[in-house]
Each structure stands twice: as C-alpha cells, then as structure tokens.
Amino acid sequence: MDIQNKRISNDEFFEALMEKLLKTIEEDIARCKQEGTEFPYYYSISPDDLPGTECYCQCPECSEIIEKAGYGGYVLRFINRIAREVGKVYPFVKIENLAYFTFSEPPKDDTVPESNVVVRLANIYVDVLRDINSVSNRRYLRLLKSWAELCKKSGAELHIWDYMFNMRLNYPLPLFYRLKDTVKAFSDYGVTGVCVEIEEHLSDMWELNKYMLTHLLENPDADIDVMLCDFTDRYYGAAGGYVRDYCELLRKTAEKNTPHVYCCLEDSP
C-alpha cells in the first residue's frame, strides 16, 4: 500500500488510511477462511518512490518532525502509529516499515519501531559487485548495524531488500561472489527475512545466482567453491570446468579494475 509523502501527520489522512487498512485485513481474513488458505499477516505501508527530500511536506508540523527525527524517523513515527492501532484489533498482524531511498537512515532521535513492525532495509546505493564488508559498501553495513540495534530494543523484526542486478546494462558480472559475506552479515545481525531482486531470467547467470542465494540463506556458512562445483557440474555437465574458469576470470577482472556497480545508478568507469 503506497502512501503520498504529503502531510502524513494529518489526522484525517491517518483515519482514512486506517479505515481502509482495517477493512482490507478483515476482508483478507474472511477470504482466506473461505478458501482454506494461509492468512497474509504482513502488510507493507510505504511512501512513494521519490527522488529527493524536497518531495516531503513542508508544513510546520511535518518540518518539525523531520528536524527532530530525520526522514527515516518521520516515516517510522507514522508506521508506528498505524502498527499501534492495528495491534489493538489484530495483534498477530505485522506492519512493514520500508527503510528505503531518502528514508533509509534510522531516526535521529529516540524513536524505535513498535514490536509488531517489520523494518525492511532496502539500500539502493549498494555496490552489487562487492560484499557488504567492502569499502564501497560501508554505508550499507552501517545502515544494517544501526537498524539491527534499533529493532533489538523493541523486539521488532529486521528484513532486507537486497539487489543483484544493474537495470542500465546487462553485462556479465560475478555477482554470486558477494553473497557469502553479505548473507553471513544478515545472519549475524539478526535479519529474519531476505528478498533479493534479481529482476529476470535473462540476467547474467540467473540460475547460478539463485542456486547460491537459496543455499546460503539456508546455511550462511556453506562453502562457495563447493556449491559452484556442484552447480556447474550438474547444470553444464562436461562444460562445468570451463564455466568455472569463466567465473574466475570475471572475478579477477572485477578485482583488477575495481569498478563499482549499482542496481539503478550510473556505474563507475
């Protein structure tokens, strides 16, 4: 459910949104009971995908909140308010706070997520060619640590929206090498849910990337080299060794040229 960033502190807007949300939850529960399917207890309430902070409301009330809590705190306060009201009626329902784009930074003040809030960190500035511990991903790691500490204070869940593609060019990239340390970091910081955007099956080595990701999410300590041999031998047969040589060539080339590759930003030379 997308919301406009204009006047989210407005009480009439909040009441209208709550009415729609509670009705949606009620209808979903009834439909799931009728169909005998599992109830979707998870609802995402997120602001629009906007290019800059100038898109936020400039009224005195909103400006004061932004000044004290930052843009991340501005959004989280609103999500918390929704979560508290939903929790009174449906205590088993989770409300997602998307920590994304201009509101990916944690609150500047002491605002913490309610216990029935799921914070999903979606850092679009990640260098998808490097693992989370690399110099080019320092911001990503800092955001992960900060949100993990904040969620721990209230018992809120922390989820990740990660990226493994470049929307501008679809050239060969050894993306799966970054997964080992990145997924391990997610596990170490208590992440309980991960969504990885790979976009489409035409992406470079889409099947291999999915194989690596699936196994590492099951076991963050799994051996990359062992998995690479297993997949390439079974998927490519006699050509498996050549594919591994190709992957290694890509890895060495990337390290030698030290490029930065972003999901939706211009790459470095």
Side-chain angles (χ1 to χ4, degrees), residues 191-244:
V191 171
T192 56
V194 178
C195 166
V196 178
E197 188 171 345
I198 303 180
E199 285 296 303
E200 56 178 270
H201 68 281
L202 296 178
S203 298
D204 184 51
M205 304 199 79
W206 185 74
E207 294 85 358
L208 174 58
N209 290 333
K210 285 211 311 178
Y211 174 89
M212 291 289 192
L213 175 63
T214 301
H215 283 73
L216 284 170
L217 289 175
E218 292 176 343
N219 177 18
D221 295 314
D223 190 301
I224 283 283
D225 293 328
V226 171
M227 289 191 294
L228 180 60
C229 287
D230 178 60
F231 179 86
T232 52
D233 283 343
R234 292 200 288 165
Y235 192 84
Y236 295 102
Y242 296 105
V243 176
R244 290 193 291 277

Side-chain angles (χ1 to χ4, degrees), residues 73-138:
Y74 174 67
V75 174
L76 180 56
R77 285 190 184 192
F78 183 74
I79 299 300
N80 278 344
R81 188 180 178 190
I82 293 172
R84 285 192 293 269
E85 292 303 310
V86 170
K88 294 176 182 178
V89 186
Y90 303 107
F92 49 87
V93 167
K94 301 281 188 177
I95 302 298
E96 180 186 79
N97 174 76
L98 190 61
Y100 176 64
F101 216 15
T102 53
F103 41 97
S104 60
E105 291 285 345
K108 296 194 302 183
D109 60 0
D110 58 356
T111 302
V112 298
E114 294 288 327
S115 59
N116 60 333
V117 165
V118 176
V119 174
R120 184 180 292 278
L121 173 60
N123 178 32
I124 65 169
Y125 303 105
V126 59
D127 181 353
V128 299
L129 194 57
R130 308 292 174 189
D131 71 69
I132 199 169
N133 296 306
S134 67
V135 174
S136 57
N137 281 323
R138 283 178 175 172

